[in-house]
Amino acid sequence: MLAGTKPLAFFCDEISVLPDEIIIPEAEFAPYVQQGRFVRAEAVFADEFLPSLGRVAQIQYV
């Protein structure tokens, strides 16, 4: 993204495992967001069925 060759980074996981810098590297991206080089957005979806887990979960997308 810094080189301009990749337009987007997208991370998501179940809220119960967050915060986890390996899954969603907030600290790594924070300086670029503060500088205005990257735009950060976030959404949380409650009651989303995850086939991989076989159950409903809350998912955070960043």
Side-chain angles (χ1 to χ4, degrees):
M1 288 178 47
L2 289 171
T5 58
K6 182 179 177 185
L8 175 71
F10 178 79
F11 306 96
C12 66
D13 208 338
E14 184 179 7
I15 286 189
S16 69
V17 300
L18 299 174
D20 186 334
E21 285 292 319
I22 293 172
I23 297 168
I24 301 178
E26 297 276 6
E28 187 175 340
F29 281 80
Y32 304 110
V33 173
Q34 291 171 353
Q35 293 169 7
R37 294 187 70 183
F38 294 166
V39 175
R40 183 191 180 281
E42 172 183 327
V44 175
F45 292 90
D47 302 326
E48 186 171 331
F49 181 77
L50 296 177
S52 61
L53 296 177
R55 63 178 170 82
V56 173
Q58 287 187 346
I59 306 299
Q60 178 182 11
Y61 295 89
V62 176

